Amino acid sequence: MKGLSVFLLILLSVKSFSQNQKEVYSIIDANAKKLKEKSGAYSVSFGIVKDGKVYTKHFGEIDKGKGNKADDNTYFEIASVTKLFTGQLLAQAVLENKINLDDDIRKYLKAPYPNLEYNGRAITIKDLISYKTALPRNLPDDTELRKNMTNETPFLYNKLGESYSKDQFKQDLGKVKLDTLPGSRYKYSNLSLELTGLILENIYGKNYETLLKENIFSKSGMDHTKLELGKNEVLANGYHTSGRLMPESKSLLWGSGGSKTKSTMGDMVKFLKYELDSGNKIAQESQRNISDSKENWFGYFWDDFGVTDKGKNGRKHGGSFGYQTWFAIYPELNLGICMTVNVSGMETFPDLQNAAYSLVEDLTIPSGKKEIYGYEIKGDHIVFTYIHPKNLDIKLVNTVSVVGSFNDWKPESKNYQLLKRENNRFELEIPKSNFEKGKPYSFKFVINNNGWLATPKNASNTDGSKYNNLLLKL
């Protein structure tokens, strides 16, 4: 099929494609408009670092009807994006030989904590940064609050945490019971991050905020990122998706998990540049595939680090009571994006995720004629084809699978794993008889069993769903 080969050649030039300033801002405008409409946010802010150049833009108004538009110095809560700061501090400690990834965490806690092991297996630093500690999600215990989340829940969270001290945290840490072997299973835990804040303070003899200022903020020029704002500094209002004004998050703990960090888009793009700096040994360590995983990895507290058709990439989502933020880097493309909306609800995360994928597609793939993508028909066979962009590191690609409605969307299915034909070309031939004529089949490609590829914007064969899957129909 001629269209397939033409489209694949377009994809091969993904890294060399560039836009001028006007084109980049046009892409931001289009994607911000969609995100604002989809999320229901009053205010939307975008920050992009592309080939060393910085682009920021703000849309809407912070409070409906007041005309108070955000700018690069508007403070918002970045929540769990803070975990990347904590990860870099820990990465620095590793590089300085102050800590070892295989160490028992109790070595740095100044107390025995015999409960922090399971069947003789202690929690290690490596478990800590990979969300595999087997520790509960939070201290204080929020199990009951999480059973029924409403727009009242943030106020109850603040009530739960407003008098919960570091001493109480340490006492409760001694009562925690592990229910599985550390290092064996992913389990997201903010408790783990606050614990890391304590460990860092014990290692360096300085408080967590001082460590941030001395080791990250001062080096990157981030003078508008703080755990506590000054007298004349104001946090922008954030809202629940119901329209209810949300409170500022309150905490007496270290804040190393993101319970109280405020920043600005001006600072977030500086941090994008900091993370994209290939000469920054600490940043590079914090992104490293520590366990040599053949699939995805977590680096130091990233939500996800893996490989797609955009090369190696990492992302971090931050969700506060009234704000949500998406922070992502694509080192092989020298590209970083940050988006924030002043609304928070159950559907805000997927709205941000989809907007991020769309934005990156627009920034890396030139506009062109719509073409059938992903397969062609040769005689009695369907040939699924994926070509990894030639300027990206092919060594990072261990497997390529096609998944869809025909195999229950399971990327680990051996029958749907593509075979490497050339250096960066992967193919899989399947008999046409495996598919019913006239029946539509949705599908996508997956790299390394976890890197689900976004559908290229120039693909004409899409299924029209909110997931924008590719479509196969005989």
Side-chain angles (χ1 to χ4, degrees):
M1 185 177 290
K2 184 179 179 182
L4 176 65
S5 60
V6 171
F7 190 29
L8 288 174
L9 285 173
I10 291 173
L11 287 183
L12 287 176
S13 64
V14 61
K15 192 172 183 180
S16 61
F17 173 56
S18 62
Q19 298 111 339
N20 60 38
Q21 186 179 57
K22 183 178 179 181
E23 289 170 330
V24 172
Y25 278 116
S26 178
I27 288 170
I28 291 175
D29 290 348
N31 283 278
K33 180 180 179 181
K34 291 177 187 176
L35 176 58
K36 189 173 182 301
E37 291 175 353
K38 187 69 176 174
S39 68
Y42 301 136
S43 177
V44 173
S45 294
F46 274 45
I48 293 172
V49 175
K50 190 174 189 289
D51 298 323
K53 295 180 180 179
V54 174
Y55 308 85
T56 61
K57 199 163 184 181
H58 309 270
F59 304 83
E61 51 194 353
I62 297 168
D63 301 293
K64 190 175 182 180
K66 292 191 176 180
N68 49 350
K69 188 175 182 178
D71 58 32
D72 283 1
N73 295 317
T74 298
Y75 283 104
F76 57 91
E77 292 180 310
I78 62 171
S80 286
V81 175
T82 305
K83 292 178 172 65
L84 300 183
F85 302 152
T86 306
Q88 286 210 9
L89 291 177
L90 202 54
Q92 178 176 322
V94 169
L95 292 177
E96 292 175 347
N97 295 316
K98 293 181 180 294
I99 198 167
N100 189 290
L101 290 175
D102 294 320
D103 285 343
D104 182 333
I105 62 170
R106 293 174 294 188
K107 180 178 179 180
Y108 308 98
L109 291 180
K110 298 183 178 179
Y113 291 109
N115 59 309
L116 297 185
E117 63 176 52
Y118 185 83
N119 286 350
R121 168 64 157 84
I123 301 170
T124 67
I125 298 297
K126 185 184 292 185
D127 300 332
L128 200 66
I129 61 181
S130 303
Y131 303 106
K132 294 182 179 180
T133 58
L135 289 168
R137 186 179 182 92
N138 286 310
L139 281 180
D141 185 6
D142 64 345
T143 304
E144 291 302 313
L145 285 181
R146 294 185 63 80
K147 287 180 179 178
N148 183 30
M149 305 282 279
T150 69
N151 62 18
E152 182 64 21
T153 303
F155 298 91
L156 299 176
Y157 260 109
N158 274 351
K159 188 174 181 180
L160 181 67
E162 62 188 4
S163 60
Y164 190 81
S165 68
K166 292 178 180 177
D167 286 339
Q168 186 63 55
F169 175 93
K170 294 173 186 177
Q171 292 176 30
D172 288 346
L173 183 63
K175 302 172 186 176
V176 164
K177 292 183 180 180
L178 306 189
D179 60 4
T180 190
L181 207 64
S184 63
R185 189 175 68 192
Y186 173 89
K187 186 179 181 182
Y188 197 82
S189 172
N190 288 310
L191 188 168
S192 297
L193 267 296
E194 294 297 347
L195 186 57
T196 305
L198 170 59
I199 288 172
L200 287 166
E201 289 191 352
N202 288 343
I203 290 172
Y204 286 100
K206 298 179 180 181
N207 68 51
Y208 174 72
E209 187 167 17
T210 298
L211 291 173
L212 290 179
K213 290 176 180 176
E214 291 181 353
N215 298 286
I216 299 177
F217 301 161
S218 63
K219 293 178 181 178
S220 59
M222 296 171 63
D223 51 5
H224 286 80
T225 303
K226 308 175 181 183
L227 301 192
E228 301 291 341
L229 296 182
K231 269 186 183 180
N232 298 319
E233 295 171 321
V234 179
L235 179 69
N237 285 332
Y239 294 83
H240 186 267
T241 47
S242 66
R244 185 178 182 182
L245 180 65
M246 289 289 98
E248 177 184 341
S249 178
K250 302 290 184 183
S251 175
L252 297 178
L253 300 182
W254 293 266
S256 43
S259 57
K260 49 191 178 183
T261 313
K262 292 86 176 172
S263 189
T264 65
M265 189 55 73
D267 268 17
M268 282 291 95
V269 290
K270 290 177 183 177
F271 191 54
L272 282 173
K273 293 184 75 171
Y274 198 70
E275 288 281 11
L276 287 168
D277 181 2
S278 60
N280 184 335
K281 293 182 179 179
I282 295 171
Q284 295 305 305
E285 171 66 17
S286 74
Q287 300 167 20
R288 188 166 62 89
N289 185 353
I290 292 158
S291 58
D292 294 321
S293 170
K294 298 300 182 183
E295 298 183 355
N296 285 21
W297 65 95
F298 300 104
Y300 287 60
F301 299 122
W302 288 80
D303 283 342
D304 187 63
F305 228 102
V307 182
T308 67
D309 56 326
K310 304 298 183 291
K312 183 173 72 171
N313 59 87
R315 64 175 173 85
K316 188 68 191 175
H317 169 256
S320 68
F321 298 148
Y323 265 94
Q324 290 202 24
T325 301
W326 186 275
F327 184 97
I329 59 169
Y330 298 80
E332 292 186 75
L333 300 179
N334 197 14
L335 173 67
I337 65 169
C338 183
M339 305 180 301
T340 185
V341 293
N342 74 331
V343 70
S344 189
M346 297 302 291
E347 293 301 314
T348 313
F349 170 80
D351 290 341
L352 274 172
Q353 184 177 52
N354 291 335
Y357 291 164
S358 175
L359 176 65
V360 173
E361 281 295 306
D362 289 346
L363 289 169
T364 55
I365 304 297
S367 298
K369 182 182 177 182
K370 294 277 188 177
E371 302 282 357
I372 295 289
Y373 174 76
Y375 75 95
E376 61 179 326
I377 298 172
K378 288 185 177 180
D380 294 329
H381 288 79
I382 294 170
V383 182
F384 289 102
T385 305
Y386 169 73
I387 298 181
H388 200 58
K390 62 183 178 181
N391 290 319
L392 302 182
D393 188 356
I394 192 64
K395 294 180 204 172
L396 296 174
V397 180
N398 299 304
T399 61
V400 178
S401 303
V402 60
V403 302
S405 53
F406 42 75
N407 71 336
D408 295 326
W409 299 95
K410 295 179 179 178
E412 66 276 9
S413 174
K414 298 295 183 183
N415 293 332
Y416 288 89
Q417 194 169 106
L418 280 65
L419 301 176
K420 194 173 182 180
R421 298 300 188 193
E422 299 168 12
N423 186 44
N424 62 333
R425 185 184 184 94
F426 298 80
E427 289 184 352
L428 175 65
E429 291 191 18
I430 296 180
K432 285 169 59 178
S433 57
N434 285 21
F435 303 90
E436 294 180 32
K437 189 174 181 179
K439 181 179 178 179
Y441 296 90
S442 295
F443 72 95
K444 280 192 174 181
F445 291 109
V446 183
I447 292 178
N448 298 346
N449 289 342
N450 279 297
W452 290 64
L453 308 192
T455 296
K457 65 177 182 176
N458 293 339
S460 61
N461 54 318
T462 57
D463 64 5
S465 71
K466 67 177 181 179
Y467 303 107
N468 195 32
N469 301 308
L470 292 163
L471 188 68
L472 164 68
K473 188 175 181 180
L474 299 182

